[in-house]
């Protein structure tokens, strides 16, 4: 009687306890194997307000990834807009195992763009940070705006020699 109830409860609760442990093991395993890319847009792609949305949708890994049988989970990706030397630049950071996926996503969203691999050690952003958490917009969201163009315009008003970054880290939900 009581043993069967205990076993049934363990079977029901175990996946909720094990999944976060496996995700944490995956995150730790790929932490040292992250890659960064600089995305150089061609003039036509830069004017397309929907291309940013296509890039984010294409960057979604679509499935869990694994390093070992235990260390498996959803890879996180980082998309950043940095203002450096008076110019905006898009940067993507992801685990090494997603490198071909990132290349394909960029080619699908921005066919004329160039993707250059950067040194992963340069990823630290100094200065002030503001963290905001949120959920994906619902189906009733308003018409999309070109957030990239708005951020570039805002950053272009920074004083000469100033730097800024807008970074979004995405953790896919199952």
């Amino acid at each position: 009687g009581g043993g069967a109830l205990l076993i049934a409860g363990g079977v029901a609760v175990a996946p909720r306890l094990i999944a976060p442990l496996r995700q944490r093991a995956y995150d730790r395993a790929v932490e040292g194997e992250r890659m960064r890319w600089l995305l150089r847009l061609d003039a036509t792609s830069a004017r397309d307000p929907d291309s940013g949305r296509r890039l984010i949708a294409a960057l979604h890994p679509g499935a869990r990834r694994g390093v070992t049988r235990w260390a498996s989970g959803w890879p996180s990706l980082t998309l950043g807009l940095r203002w450096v030397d008076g110019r905006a630049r898009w940067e993507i950071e992801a685990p090494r195992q997603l490198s071909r996926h990132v290349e394909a996503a960029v080619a699908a969203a921005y066919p004329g763009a160039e993707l250059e691999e950067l040194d992963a050690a340069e990823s630290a952003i100094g200065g002030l940070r503001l963290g905001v958490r949120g959920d994906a917009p619902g189906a009733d969201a308003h018409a999309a705006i070109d957030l990239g163009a708005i951020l570039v315009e805002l950053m272009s008003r920074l004083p000469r020699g100033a730097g800024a970054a807008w970074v979004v880290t995405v953790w896919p939900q199952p």
Side-chain angles (χ1 to χ4, degrees), residues 26-41:
Y26 174 79
D27 292 339
R28 286 184 182 150
V30 298
E31 186 176 354
E33 297 183 358
R34 294 189 67 83
M35 295 179 66
R36 287 181 55 234
W37 295 270
L38 170 65
L39 177 58
R40 289 194 181 98
L41 301 179

PDB file of all heavy atoms in Angstrom, residues 26-41:
ATOM      1  N   TYR A  26      24.588  20.323 -18.511  1.00  0.00           N
ATOM      2  CA  TYR A  26      24.831  20.704 -19.904  1.00  0.00           C
ATOM      3  C   TYR A  26      25.437  22.107 -19.979  1.00  0.00           C
ATOM      4  O   TYR A  26      26.420  22.331 -20.680  1.00  0.00           O
ATOM      5  CB  TYR A  26      23.532  20.635 -20.708  1.00  0.00           C
ATOM      6  CG  TYR A  26      23.688  21.161 -22.110  1.00  0.00           C
ATOM      7  CD1 TYR A  26      24.261  20.371 -23.099  1.00  0.00           C
ATOM      8  CD2 TYR A  26      23.300  22.454 -22.430  1.00  0.00           C
ATOM      9  CE1 TYR A  26      24.423  20.853 -24.379  1.00  0.00           C
ATOM     10  CE2 TYR A  26      23.461  22.942 -23.714  1.00  0.00           C
ATOM     11  CZ  TYR A  26      24.028  22.141 -24.684  1.00  0.00           C
ATOM     12  OH  TYR A  26      24.194  22.625 -25.952  1.00  0.00           O
ATOM     13  N   ASP A  27      24.842  23.063 -19.264  1.00  0.00           N
ATOM     14  CA  ASP A  27      25.343  24.438 -19.278  1.00  0.00           C
ATOM     15  C   ASP A  27      26.799  24.506 -18.830  1.00  0.00           C
ATOM     16  O   ASP A  27      27.603  25.222 -19.419  1.00  0.00           O
ATOM     17  CB  ASP A  27      24.479  25.345 -18.390  1.00  0.00           C
ATOM     18  CG  ASP A  27      23.088  25.553 -18.953  1.00  0.00           C
ATOM     19  OD1 ASP A  27      22.894  25.357 -20.174  1.00  0.00           O
ATOM     20  OD2 ASP A  27      22.184  25.900 -18.166  1.00  0.00           O
ATOM     21  N   ARG A  28      27.134  23.756 -17.804  1.00  0.00           N
ATOM     22  CA  ARG A  28      28.525  23.736 -17.326  1.00  0.00           C
ATOM     23  C   ARG A  28      29.461  23.094 -18.348  1.00  0.00           C
ATOM     24  O   ARG A  28      30.583  23.530 -18.525  1.00  0.00           O
ATOM     25  CB  ARG A  28      28.607  22.996 -15.998  1.00  0.00           C
ATOM     26  CG  ARG A  28      28.049  23.790 -14.853  1.00  0.00           C
ATOM     27  CD  ARG A  28      28.223  23.069 -13.547  1.00  0.00           C
ATOM     28  NE  ARG A  28      27.635  23.833 -12.473  1.00  0.00           N
ATOM     29  CZ  ARG A  28      27.126  23.308 -11.391  1.00  0.00           C
ATOM     30  NH1 ARG A  28      27.169  21.998 -11.203  1.00  0.00           N
ATOM     31  NH2 ARG A  28      26.600  24.067 -10.463  1.00  0.00           N
ATOM     32  N   ALA A  29      28.990  22.059 -19.016  1.00  0.00           N
ATOM     33  CA  ALA A  29      29.837  21.348 -19.987  1.00  0.00           C
ATOM     34  C   ALA A  29      30.162  22.207 -21.201  1.00  0.00           C
ATOM     35  O   ALA A  29      31.260  22.125 -21.747  1.00  0.00           O
ATOM     36  CB  ALA A  29      29.158  20.052 -20.421  1.00  0.00           C
ATOM     37  N   VAL A  30      29.223  23.040 -21.654  1.00  0.00           N
ATOM     38  CA  VAL A  30      29.456  23.836 -22.865  1.00  0.00           C
ATOM     39  C   VAL A  30      29.946  25.248 -22.549  1.00  0.00           C
ATOM     40  O   VAL A  30      30.239  26.014 -23.464  1.00  0.00           O
ATOM     41  CB  VAL A  30      28.194  23.914 -23.759  1.00  0.00           C
ATOM     42  CG1 VAL A  30      27.789  22.528 -24.236  1.00  0.00           C
ATOM     43  CG2 VAL A  30      27.056  24.619 -23.073  1.00  0.00           C
ATOM     44  N   GLU A  31      30.046  25.589 -21.272  1.00  0.00           N
ATOM     45  CA  GLU A  31      30.449  26.944 -20.888  1.00  0.00           C
ATOM     46  C   GLU A  31      31.786  27.358 -21.495  1.00  0.00           C
ATOM     47  O   GLU A  31      31.936  28.468 -21.990  1.00  0.00           O
ATOM     48  CB  GLU A  31      30.512  27.031 -19.357  1.00  0.00           C
ATOM     49  CG  GLU A  31      30.781  28.394 -18.828  1.00  0.00           C
ATOM     50  CD  GLU A  31      30.739  28.411 -17.307  1.00  0.00           C
ATOM     51  OE1 GLU A  31      30.395  27.390 -16.685  1.00  0.00           O
ATOM     52  OE2 GLU A  31      31.066  29.462 -16.749  1.00  0.00           O
ATOM     53  N   GLY A  32      32.751  26.483 -21.489  1.00  0.00           N
ATOM     54  CA  GLY A  32      34.072  26.792 -22.032  1.00  0.00           C
ATOM     55  C   GLY A  32      34.173  26.630 -23.538  1.00  0.00           C
ATOM     56  O   GLY A  32      35.220  26.902 -24.120  1.00  0.00           O
ATOM     57  N   GLU A  33      33.116  26.164 -24.172  1.00  0.00           N
ATOM     58  CA  GLU A  33      33.123  25.918 -25.618  1.00  0.00           C
ATOM     59  C   GLU A  33      32.179  26.843 -26.370  1.00  0.00           C
ATOM     60  O   GLU A  33      31.623  26.470 -27.392  1.00  0.00           O
ATOM     61  CB  GLU A  33      32.737  24.468 -25.893  1.00  0.00           C
ATOM     62  CG  GLU A  33      33.703  23.465 -25.336  1.00  0.00           C
ATOM     63  CD  GLU A  33      33.316  22.045 -25.705  1.00  0.00           C
ATOM     64  OE1 GLU A  33      32.283  21.849 -26.360  1.00  0.00           O
ATOM     65  OE2 GLU A  33      34.064  21.139 -25.331  1.00  0.00           O
ATOM     66  N   ARG A  34      31.987  28.043 -25.863  1.00  0.00           N
ATOM     67  CA  ARG A  34      31.105  28.991 -26.542  1.00  0.00           C
ATOM     68  C   ARG A  34      31.885  29.725 -27.624  1.00  0.00           C
ATOM     69  O   ARG A  34      33.065  29.985 -27.486  1.00  0.00           O
ATOM     70  CB  ARG A  34      30.490  29.958 -25.539  1.00  0.00           C
ATOM     71  CG  ARG A  34      29.552  29.206 -24.577  1.00  0.00           C
ATOM     72  CD  ARG A  34      28.750  30.103 -23.703  1.00  0.00           C
ATOM     73  NE  ARG A  34      27.767  30.902 -24.385  1.00  0.00           N
ATOM     74  CZ  ARG A  34      26.552  30.500 -24.731  1.00  0.00           C
ATOM     75  NH1 ARG A  34      26.173  29.273 -24.483  1.00  0.00           N
ATOM     76  NH2 ARG A  34      25.704  31.312 -25.327  1.00  0.00           N
ATOM     77  N   MET A  35      31.205  30.040 -28.700  1.00  0.00           N
ATOM     78  CA  MET A  35      31.801  30.768 -29.821  1.00  0.00           C
ATOM     79  C   MET A  35      31.047  32.072 -30.013  1.00  0.00           C
ATOM     80  O   MET A  35      29.878  32.181 -29.641  1.00  0.00           O
ATOM     81  CB  MET A  35      31.731  29.930 -31.100  1.00  0.00           C
ATOM     82  CG  MET A  35      32.559  28.678 -31.052  1.00  0.00           C
ATOM     83  SD  MET A  35      32.412  27.706 -32.567  1.00  0.00           S
ATOM     84  CE  MET A  35      33.157  28.785 -33.758  1.00  0.00           C
ATOM     85  N   ARG A  36      31.728  33.048 -30.621  1.00  0.00           N
ATOM     86  CA  ARG A  36      31.109  34.340 -30.928  1.00  0.00           C
ATOM     87  C   ARG A  36      31.334  34.663 -32.389  1.00  0.00           C
ATOM     88  O   ARG A  36      32.377  34.361 -32.952  1.00  0.00           O
ATOM     89  CB  ARG A  36      31.738  35.451 -30.076  1.00  0.00           C
ATOM     90  CG  ARG A  36      31.302  35.388 -28.646  1.00  0.00           C
ATOM     91  CD  ARG A  36      31.907  36.500 -27.804  1.00  0.00           C
ATOM     92  NE  ARG A  36      31.650  37.817 -28.347  1.00  0.00           N
ATOM     93  CZ  ARG A  36      32.607  38.707 -28.608  1.00  0.00           C
ATOM     94  NH1 ARG A  36      33.865  38.439 -28.389  1.00  0.00           N
ATOM     95  NH2 ARG A  36      32.297  39.889 -29.091  1.00  0.00           N
ATOM     96  N   TRP A  37      30.315  35.308 -32.986  1.00  0.00           N
ATOM     97  CA  TRP A  37      30.395  35.721 -34.380  1.00  0.00           C
ATOM     98  C   TRP A  37      29.976  37.179 -34.492  1.00  0.00           C
ATOM     99  O   TRP A  37      29.087  37.638 -33.787  1.00  0.00           O
ATOM    100  CB  TRP A  37      29.456  34.898 -35.246  1.00  0.00           C
ATOM    101  CG  TRP A  37      29.783  33.455 -35.327  1.00  0.00           C
ATOM    102  CD1 TRP A  37      30.588  32.835 -36.241  1.00  0.00           C
ATOM    103  CD2 TRP A  37      29.308  32.415 -34.476  1.00  0.00           C
ATOM    104  NE1 TRP A  37      30.636  31.490 -36.007  1.00  0.00           N
ATOM    105  CE2 TRP A  37      29.856  31.203 -34.922  1.00  0.00           C
ATOM    106  CE3 TRP A  37      28.467  32.392 -33.363  1.00  0.00           C
ATOM    107  CZ2 TRP A  37      29.599  29.988 -34.306  1.00  0.00           C
ATOM    108  CZ3 TRP A  37      28.207  31.186 -32.746  1.00  0.00           C
ATOM    109  CH2 TRP A  37      28.768  30.003 -33.220  1.00  0.00           C
ATOM    110  N   LEU A  38      30.600  37.879 -35.424  1.00  0.00           N
ATOM    111  CA  LEU A  38      30.216  39.242 -35.786  1.00  0.00           C
ATOM    112  C   LEU A  38      29.388  39.142 -37.061  1.00  0.00           C
ATOM    113  O   LEU A  38      29.787  38.487 -38.023  1.00  0.00           O
ATOM    114  CB  LEU A  38      31.455  40.102 -36.024  1.00  0.00           C
ATOM    115  CG  LEU A  38      31.218  41.474 -36.641  1.00  0.00           C
ATOM    116  CD1 LEU A  38      30.415  42.350 -35.704  1.00  0.00           C
ATOM    117  CD2 LEU A  38      32.545  42.122 -36.976  1.00  0.00           C
ATOM    118  N   LEU A  39      28.236  39.772 -37.060  1.00  0.00           N
ATOM    119  CA  LEU A  39      27.323  39.740 -38.202  1.00  0.00           C
ATOM    120  C   LEU A  39      27.390  41.086 -38.911  1.00  0.00           C
ATOM    121  O   LEU A  39      27.046  42.110 -38.339  1.00  0.00           O
ATOM    122  CB  LEU A  39      25.904  39.456 -37.706  1.00  0.00           C
ATOM    123  CG  LEU A  39      24.776  39.446 -38.722  1.00  0.00           C
ATOM    124  CD1 LEU A  39      25.039  38.410 -39.813  1.00  0.00           C
ATOM    125  CD2 LEU A  39      23.460  39.164 -38.027  1.00  0.00           C
ATOM    126  N   ARG A  40      27.878  41.087 -40.145  1.00  0.00           N
ATOM    127  CA  ARG A  40      27.938  42.299 -40.971  1.00  0.00           C
ATOM    128  C   ARG A  40      26.813  42.231 -41.994  1.00  0.00           C
ATOM    129  O   ARG A  40      26.791  41.349 -42.853  1.00  0.00           O
ATOM    130  CB  ARG A  40      29.277  42.393 -41.691  1.00  0.00           C
ATOM    131  CG  ARG A  40      30.411  42.711 -40.784  1.00  0.00           C
ATOM    132  CD  ARG A  40      31.637  43.123 -41.616  1.00  0.00           C
ATOM    133  NE  ARG A  40      32.732  43.398 -40.747  1.00  0.00           N
ATOM    134  CZ  ARG A  40      33.702  42.536 -40.463  1.00  0.00           C
ATOM    135  NH1 ARG A  40      33.693  41.344 -41.019  1.00  0.00           N
ATOM    136  NH2 ARG A  40      34.679  42.869 -39.654  1.00  0.00           N
ATOM    137  N   LEU A  41      25.895  43.168 -41.892  1.00  0.00           N
ATOM    138  CA  LEU A  41      24.734  43.159 -42.778  1.00  0.00           C
ATOM    139  C   LEU A  41      25.010  43.929 -44.058  1.00  0.00           C
ATOM    140  O   LEU A  41      25.719  44.930 -44.048  1.00  0.00           O
ATOM    141  CB  LEU A  41      23.539  43.802 -42.074  1.00  0.00           C
ATOM    142  CG  LEU A  41      23.086  43.162 -40.773  1.00  0.00           C
ATOM    143  CD1 LEU A  41      21.912  43.929 -40.194  1.00  0.00           C
ATOM    144  CD2 LEU A  41      22.713  41.713 -40.995  1.00  0.00           C
TER     145      LEU A  41
END
